[in-house]
Each structure stands twice: as C-alpha cells, then as structure tokens.
Short mmCIF file of all heavy atoms in Angstrom, two decimals:
data_model
loop_
_atom_site.label_atom_id
_atom_site.label_comp_id
_atom_site.label_asym_id
_atom_site.label_seq_id
_atom_site.Cartn_x
_atom_site.Cartn_y
_atom_site.Cartn_z
N GLY S 26 -63.21 210.31 -108.22
CA GLY S 26 -64.45 209.61 -108.53
C GLY S 26 -64.33 208.79 -109.80
O GLY S 26 -63.25 208.69 -110.41
N ASP S 27 -65.44 208.20 -110.20
CA ASP S 27 -65.46 207.32 -111.38
C ASP S 27 -65.56 208.15 -112.65
O ASP S 27 -66.34 209.11 -112.73
CB ASP S 27 -66.62 206.35 -111.30
CG ASP S 27 -66.45 205.33 -110.20
OD1 ASP S 27 -65.29 205.05 -109.83
OD2 ASP S 27 -67.47 204.82 -109.68
N ILE S 28 -64.81 207.75 -113.67
CA ILE S 28 -64.82 208.37 -114.99
C ILE S 28 -65.30 207.33 -116.00
O ILE S 28 -64.83 206.19 -115.99
CB ILE S 28 -63.45 208.91 -115.39
CG1 ILE S 28 -63.02 210.03 -114.41
CG2 ILE S 28 -63.44 209.43 -116.82
CD1 ILE S 28 -61.64 210.57 -114.67
N THR S 29 -66.21 207.71 -116.85
CA THR S 29 -66.75 206.79 -117.84
C THR S 29 -65.68 206.45 -118.90
O THR S 29 -65.02 207.34 -119.43
CB THR S 29 -67.97 207.39 -118.54
OG1 THR S 29 -68.97 207.68 -117.56
CG2 THR S 29 -68.54 206.44 -119.57
N ARG S 30 -65.52 205.18 -119.13
CA ARG S 30 -64.57 204.72 -120.15
C ARG S 30 -65.20 204.91 -121.55
O ARG S 30 -66.34 204.51 -121.77
CB ARG S 30 -64.20 203.27 -119.94
CG ARG S 30 -63.06 202.78 -120.81
CD ARG S 30 -62.85 201.28 -120.65
NE ARG S 30 -62.58 200.95 -119.24
CZ ARG S 30 -61.40 201.00 -118.66
NH1 ARG S 30 -60.35 201.41 -119.36
NH2 ARG S 30 -61.25 200.69 -117.39
N THR S 31 -64.45 205.50 -122.46
CA THR S 31 -64.93 205.73 -123.83
C THR S 31 -63.97 205.10 -124.82
O THR S 31 -62.85 204.74 -124.50
CB THR S 31 -65.06 207.25 -124.13
OG1 THR S 31 -63.78 207.84 -124.02
CG2 THR S 31 -66.02 207.91 -123.15
N SER S 32 -64.42 205.01 -126.05
CA SER S 32 -63.59 204.48 -127.13
C SER S 32 -64.03 205.15 -128.43
O SER S 32 -65.01 205.89 -128.48
CB SER S 32 -63.70 202.96 -127.24
OG SER S 32 -65.00 202.61 -127.65
N VAL S 33 -63.28 204.89 -129.50
CA VAL S 33 -63.65 205.43 -130.79
C VAL S 33 -65.02 204.92 -131.21
O VAL S 33 -65.85 205.63 -131.76
CB VAL S 33 -62.58 205.06 -131.86
CG1 VAL S 33 -63.04 205.53 -133.23
CG2 VAL S 33 -61.24 205.69 -131.49
N THR S 34 -65.27 203.64 -130.92
CA THR S 34 -66.56 203.04 -131.28
C THR S 34 -67.69 203.53 -130.40
O THR S 34 -68.81 203.73 -130.85
CB THR S 34 -66.45 201.51 -131.21
OG1 THR S 34 -65.34 201.06 -131.96
CG2 THR S 34 -67.71 200.84 -131.74
N TYR S 35 -67.37 203.76 -129.10
CA TYR S 35 -68.39 204.20 -128.14
C TYR S 35 -67.94 205.51 -127.50
O TYR S 35 -67.48 205.53 -126.35
CB TYR S 35 -68.59 203.13 -127.07
CG TYR S 35 -69.05 201.80 -127.63
CD1 TYR S 35 -68.16 200.76 -127.83
CD2 TYR S 35 -70.40 201.58 -127.92
CE1 TYR S 35 -68.57 199.55 -128.34
CE2 TYR S 35 -70.82 200.37 -128.42
CZ TYR S 35 -69.90 199.34 -128.64
OH TYR S 35 -70.32 198.13 -129.13
N PRO S 36 -68.07 206.61 -128.21
CA PRO S 36 -67.60 207.90 -127.67
C PRO S 36 -68.42 208.38 -126.48
O PRO S 36 -67.96 209.21 -125.70
CB PRO S 36 -67.75 208.85 -128.85
CG PRO S 36 -68.80 208.23 -129.72
CD PRO S 36 -68.61 206.75 -129.57
N ASP S 37 -69.64 207.87 -126.31
CA ASP S 37 -70.48 208.25 -125.17
C ASP S 37 -70.32 207.32 -123.98
O ASP S 37 -70.98 207.50 -122.96
CB ASP S 37 -71.95 208.29 -125.58
CG ASP S 37 -72.23 209.37 -126.63
OD1 ASP S 37 -71.57 210.43 -126.52
OD2 ASP S 37 -73.06 209.15 -127.52
N GLY S 38 -69.45 206.34 -124.10
CA GLY S 38 -69.20 205.43 -122.98
C GLY S 38 -69.43 203.98 -123.34
O GLY S 38 -70.34 203.67 -124.09
N THR S 39 -68.57 203.11 -122.80
CA THR S 39 -68.68 201.69 -123.06
C THR S 39 -69.50 200.96 -122.01
O THR S 39 -69.75 199.78 -122.12
CB THR S 39 -67.28 201.05 -123.07
OG1 THR S 39 -66.68 201.20 -121.77
CG2 THR S 39 -66.39 201.71 -124.11
N GLY S 40 -69.89 201.71 -120.95
CA GLY S 40 -70.59 201.09 -119.84
C GLY S 40 -69.68 200.78 -118.68
O GLY S 40 -70.15 200.49 -117.57
N ALA S 41 -68.35 200.87 -118.89
CA ALA S 41 -67.39 200.63 -117.83
C ALA S 41 -66.84 201.97 -117.31
O ALA S 41 -66.96 203.00 -117.97
CB ALA S 41 -66.24 199.78 -118.33
N THR S 42 -66.28 201.96 -116.12
CA THR S 42 -65.69 203.16 -115.54
C THR S 42 -64.30 202.84 -114.97
O THR S 42 -63.94 201.66 -114.80
CB THR S 42 -66.56 203.72 -114.39
OG1 THR S 42 -66.69 202.72 -113.38
CG2 THR S 42 -67.95 204.10 -114.92
N PHE S 43 -63.55 203.89 -114.70
CA PHE S 43 -62.28 203.74 -113.99
C PHE S 43 -62.13 204.94 -113.06
O PHE S 43 -62.74 205.99 -113.27
CB PHE S 43 -61.09 203.64 -114.95
CG PHE S 43 -60.81 204.89 -115.73
CD1 PHE S 43 -59.85 205.80 -115.30
CD2 PHE S 43 -61.50 205.16 -116.91
CE1 PHE S 43 -59.58 206.95 -116.03
CE2 PHE S 43 -61.26 206.31 -117.64
CZ PHE S 43 -60.29 207.21 -117.20
N SER S 44 -61.32 204.79 -112.02
CA SER S 44 -61.16 205.83 -111.01
C SER S 44 -59.69 206.13 -110.82
O SER S 44 -58.94 205.31 -110.27
CB SER S 44 -61.79 205.40 -109.69
OG SER S 44 -61.63 206.41 -108.72
N PRO S 45 -59.20 207.30 -111.24
CA PRO S 45 -57.80 207.67 -111.03
C PRO S 45 -57.47 207.77 -109.54
O PRO S 45 -58.31 208.17 -108.72
CB PRO S 45 -57.68 209.04 -111.69
CG PRO S 45 -58.82 209.10 -112.66
CD PRO S 45 -59.93 208.32 -112.01
N GLN S 46 -56.25 207.39 -109.19
CA GLN S 46 -55.78 207.44 -107.80
C GLN S 46 -54.53 208.33 -107.74
O GLN S 46 -53.50 207.98 -108.31
CB GLN S 46 -55.45 206.03 -107.30
CG GLN S 46 -56.61 205.05 -107.41
CD GLN S 46 -57.76 205.42 -106.50
OE1 GLN S 46 -57.56 205.88 -105.38
NE2 GLN S 46 -58.98 205.22 -106.99
N PHE S 47 -54.65 209.46 -107.06
CA PHE S 47 -53.55 210.39 -106.89
C PHE S 47 -53.28 210.57 -105.40
O PHE S 47 -54.20 210.86 -104.64
CB PHE S 47 -53.88 211.77 -107.49
CG PHE S 47 -53.77 211.82 -109.00
CD1 PHE S 47 -54.33 210.84 -109.79
CD2 PHE S 47 -53.12 212.88 -109.61
CE1 PHE S 47 -54.25 210.89 -111.17
CE2 PHE S 47 -53.03 212.95 -110.99
CZ PHE S 47 -53.60 211.96 -111.78
N SER S 48 -52.03 210.40 -104.96
CA SER S 48 -51.72 210.53 -103.55
C SER S 48 -50.29 211.03 -103.36
O SER S 48 -49.43 210.85 -104.22
CB SER S 48 -51.91 209.20 -102.81
OG SER S 48 -50.99 208.23 -103.30
N THR S 49 -50.06 211.64 -102.20
CA THR S 49 -48.73 212.10 -101.81
C THR S 49 -48.53 211.75 -100.34
O THR S 49 -49.38 212.05 -99.49
CB THR S 49 -48.60 213.63 -101.97
OG1 THR S 49 -48.86 213.98 -103.32
CG2 THR S 49 -47.19 214.08 -101.60
N ILE S 50 -47.42 211.11 -100.04
CA ILE S 50 -47.06 210.76 -98.68
C ILE S 50 -45.77 211.49 -98.34
O ILE S 50 -44.76 211.34 -99.04
CB ILE S 50 -46.88 209.24 -98.48
CG1 ILE S 50 -48.18 208.52 -98.85
CG2 ILE S 50 -46.47 208.91 -97.05
CD1 ILE S 50 -48.06 207.00 -98.81
N GLY S 51 -45.79 212.29 -97.27
CA GLY S 51 -44.64 213.11 -96.93
C GLY S 51 -44.09 212.83 -95.54
O GLY S 51 -44.83 212.56 -94.61
N LEU S 52 -42.77 212.89 -95.42
CA LEU S 52 -42.08 212.74 -94.15
C LEU S 52 -41.23 213.98 -93.93
O LEU S 52 -40.45 214.37 -94.80
CB LEU S 52 -41.19 211.48 -94.14
CG LEU S 52 -40.42 211.16 -92.86
CD1 LEU S 52 -41.39 210.89 -91.71
CD2 LEU S 52 -39.49 209.98 -93.07
N THR S 53 -41.39 214.61 -92.75
CA THR S 53 -40.77 215.92 -92.49
C THR S 53 -39.90 215.85 -91.24
O THR S 53 -40.25 215.20 -90.24
CB THR S 53 -41.84 216.99 -92.30
OG1 THR S 53 -42.61 217.10 -93.49
CG2 THR S 53 -41.20 218.35 -92.00
N TYR S 54 -38.77 216.57 -91.32
CA TYR S 54 -37.93 216.79 -90.14
C TYR S 54 -37.64 218.28 -90.06
O TYR S 54 -37.28 218.90 -91.06
CB TYR S 54 -36.62 216.01 -90.22
CG TYR S 54 -35.64 216.40 -89.14
CD1 TYR S 54 -35.87 216.03 -87.81
CD2 TYR S 54 -34.50 217.14 -89.42
CE1 TYR S 54 -34.97 216.37 -86.81
CE2 TYR S 54 -33.61 217.50 -88.44
CZ TYR S 54 -33.85 217.11 -87.13
OH TYR S 54 -32.97 217.48 -86.13
N ALA S 55 -37.80 218.86 -88.87
CA ALA S 55 -37.53 220.28 -88.68
C ALA S 55 -36.94 220.50 -87.30
O ALA S 55 -37.22 219.74 -86.35
CB ALA S 55 -38.81 221.10 -88.84
N ARG S 56 -36.13 221.56 -87.18
CA ARG S 56 -35.56 221.88 -85.89
C ARG S 56 -35.17 223.35 -85.84
O ARG S 56 -35.05 224.01 -86.87
CB ARG S 56 -34.34 221.01 -85.56
CG ARG S 56 -33.12 221.23 -86.43
CD ARG S 56 -31.93 220.51 -85.85
NE ARG S 56 -31.62 221.02 -84.53
CZ ARG S 56 -30.89 220.36 -83.63
NH1 ARG S 56 -30.42 219.14 -83.92
NH2 ARG S 56 -30.65 220.89 -82.43
N SER S 57 -34.99 223.83 -84.62
CA SER S 57 -34.56 225.21 -84.41
C SER S 57 -33.04 225.28 -84.36
O SER S 57 -32.40 224.50 -83.64
CB SER S 57 -35.14 225.74 -83.08
OG SER S 57 -36.55 225.75 -83.12
N LEU S 58 -32.48 226.21 -85.14
CA LEU S 58 -31.05 226.45 -85.07
C LEU S 58 -30.71 227.49 -84.02
O LEU S 58 -29.59 227.52 -83.51
CB LEU S 58 -30.54 226.94 -86.45
CG LEU S 58 -30.75 225.97 -87.61
CD1 LEU S 58 -30.15 226.54 -88.88
CD2 LEU S 58 -30.14 224.60 -87.32
N SER S 59 -31.66 228.35 -83.70
CA SER S 59 -31.53 229.35 -82.66
C SER S 59 -32.91 229.76 -82.23
O SER S 59 -33.91 229.19 -82.69
CB SER S 59 -30.72 230.56 -83.17
OG SER S 59 -31.47 231.29 -84.13
N ASP S 60 -33.02 230.74 -81.34
CA ASP S 60 -34.33 231.20 -80.92
C ASP S 60 -35.06 231.96 -82.03
O ASP S 60 -36.25 232.24 -81.91
CB ASP S 60 -34.22 232.08 -79.67
CG ASP S 60 -33.35 233.31 -79.92
OD1 ASP S 60 -32.56 233.29 -80.90
OD2 ASP S 60 -33.42 234.26 -79.13
N ARG S 61 -34.37 232.24 -83.12
CA ARG S 61 -34.99 232.96 -84.24
C ARG S 61 -35.07 232.17 -85.53
O ARG S 61 -35.97 232.41 -86.34
CB ARG S 61 -34.18 234.25 -84.53
CG ARG S 61 -34.18 235.26 -83.40
CD ARG S 61 -33.49 236.55 -83.83
NE ARG S 61 -33.47 237.53 -82.77
CZ ARG S 61 -33.03 238.78 -82.91
NH1 ARG S 61 -32.57 239.17 -84.09
NH2 ARG S 61 -33.04 239.61 -81.90
N ILE S 62 -34.16 231.25 -85.77
CA ILE S 62 -34.07 230.56 -87.06
C ILE S 62 -34.49 229.10 -86.91
O ILE S 62 -34.01 228.38 -86.02
CB ILE S 62 -32.64 230.66 -87.62
CG1 ILE S 62 -32.20 232.12 -87.74
CG2 ILE S 62 -32.55 229.97 -88.97
CD1 ILE S 62 -30.75 232.28 -88.18
N THR S 63 -35.37 228.66 -87.81
CA THR S 63 -35.76 227.26 -87.89
C THR S 63 -35.62 226.79 -89.33
O THR S 63 -35.74 227.58 -90.28
CB THR S 63 -37.21 227.03 -87.44
OG1 THR S 63 -38.08 227.88 -88.22
CG2 THR S 63 -37.38 227.38 -85.96
N VAL S 64 -35.35 225.50 -89.51
CA VAL S 64 -35.21 224.91 -90.84
C VAL S 64 -36.04 223.63 -90.89
O VAL S 64 -36.29 222.99 -89.86
CB VAL S 64 -33.73 224.60 -91.19
CG1 VAL S 64 -32.93 225.88 -91.29
CG2 VAL S 64 -33.13 223.66 -90.16
N GLY S 65 -36.46 223.26 -92.09
CA GLY S 65 -37.24 222.03 -92.25
C GLY S 65 -37.04 221.41 -93.61
O GLY S 65 -36.76 222.11 -94.59
N LEU S 66 -37.20 220.10 -93.67
CA LEU S 66 -37.06 219.34 -94.91
C LEU S 66 -38.16 218.31 -94.98
O LEU S 66 -38.40 217.57 -94.05
CB LEU S 66 -35.68 218.65 -94.98
CG LEU S 66 -35.47 217.67 -96.14
CD1 LEU S 66 -35.44 218.43 -97.48
CD2 LEU S 66 -34.17 216.89 -95.96
N THR S 67 -38.84 218.25 -96.14
CA THR S 67 -39.90 217.26 -96.40
C THR S 67 -39.55 216.44 -97.63
O THR S 67 -39.17 217.02 -98.66
CB THR S 67 -41.25 217.94 -96.60
OG1 THR S 67 -41.62 218.63 -95.41
CG2 THR S 67 -42.34 216.90 -96.92
N ALA S 68 -39.69 215.13 -97.53
CA ALA S 68 -39.57 214.23 -98.68
C ALA S 68 -40.95 213.69 -99.01
O ALA S 68 -41.60 213.09 -98.14
CB ALA S 68 -38.61 213.09 -98.36
N ASN S 69 -41.42 213.94 -100.22
CA ASN S 69 -42.76 213.52 -100.65
C ASN S 69 -42.67 212.40 -101.67
O ASN S 69 -41.96 212.52 -102.68
CB ASN S 69 -43.51 214.70 -101.29
CG ASN S 69 -43.99 215.71 -100.28
OD1 ASN S 69 -44.54 215.34 -99.23
ND2 ASN S 69 -43.79 216.97 -100.57
N LEU S 70 -43.37 211.30 -101.40
CA LEU S 70 -43.51 210.21 -102.36
C LEU S 70 -44.80 210.46 -103.14
O LEU S 70 -45.89 210.46 -102.57
CB LEU S 70 -43.55 208.87 -101.66
CG LEU S 70 -43.75 207.65 -102.56
CD1 LEU S 70 -42.55 207.46 -103.50
CD2 LEU S 70 -43.96 206.38 -101.72
N VAL S 71 -44.67 210.65 -104.45
CA VAL S 71 -45.80 211.01 -105.30
C VAL S 71 -46.24 209.78 -106.09
O VAL S 71 -45.40 209.11 -106.73
CB VAL S 71 -45.44 212.14 -106.27
CG1 VAL S 71 -46.64 212.57 -107.11
CG2 VAL S 71 -44.88 213.33 -105.49
N SER S 72 -47.53 209.47 -106.08
CA SER S 72 -48.06 208.32 -106.81
C SER S 72 -49.26 208.74 -107.61
O SER S 72 -50.16 209.40 -107.08
CB SER S 72 -48.44 207.20 -105.83
OG SER S 72 -49.07 206.12 -106.52
N GLU S 73 -49.27 208.38 -108.88
CA GLU S 73 -50.40 208.70 -109.77
C GLU S 73 -50.75 207.47 -110.61
O GLU S 73 -49.85 206.88 -111.25
CB GLU S 73 -50.06 209.87 -110.70
CG GLU S 73 -49.70 211.16 -109.96
CD GLU S 73 -49.50 212.34 -110.89
OE1 GLU S 73 -49.51 212.15 -112.12
OE2 GLU S 73 -49.30 213.44 -110.38
#
C-alpha cells in the first residue's frame, strides 16, 4: 500500500506517498527418480 513520504522538515508527511513493490517469480522443475524418491529445483527471481 501507500506510505506517506516524510522529511526532516515535515516529519508528519510532505503530502506525497510512495508504494514499495516486492515480488518473487519462480520457475520449478521436478521429477521422480523412482516410485519412492522425487527431487525438485526452483529458481526464484527476487525484486524489491
């Protein structure tokens, strides 16, 4: 959501806002090695 922008001069807010953007995008591959054992690998692209 929106966060109020503050400064030393305006500690209660300048009237402007900003909104942080955090996201993760993942790609996964998995397979069975036998009827009992499975393995998997995920690569995550992290953006902040």
Side-chain angles (χ1 to χ4, degrees):
D27 292 334
I28 296 176
T29 301
R30 189 186 303 275
T31 62
S32 67
V33 175
T34 307
Y35 300 98
D37 295 324
T39 63
T42 61
F43 67 96
S44 180
Q46 304 295 322
F47 283 46
S48 64
T49 302
I50 301 175
L52 181 63
T53 299
Y54 171 72
R56 66 169 299 160
S57 298
L58 299 183
S59 69
D60 59 342
R61 296 186 180 186
I62 303 174
T63 57
V64 295
L66 172 67
T67 297
N69 286 315
L70 178 65
V71 183
S72 175
E73 300 185 355

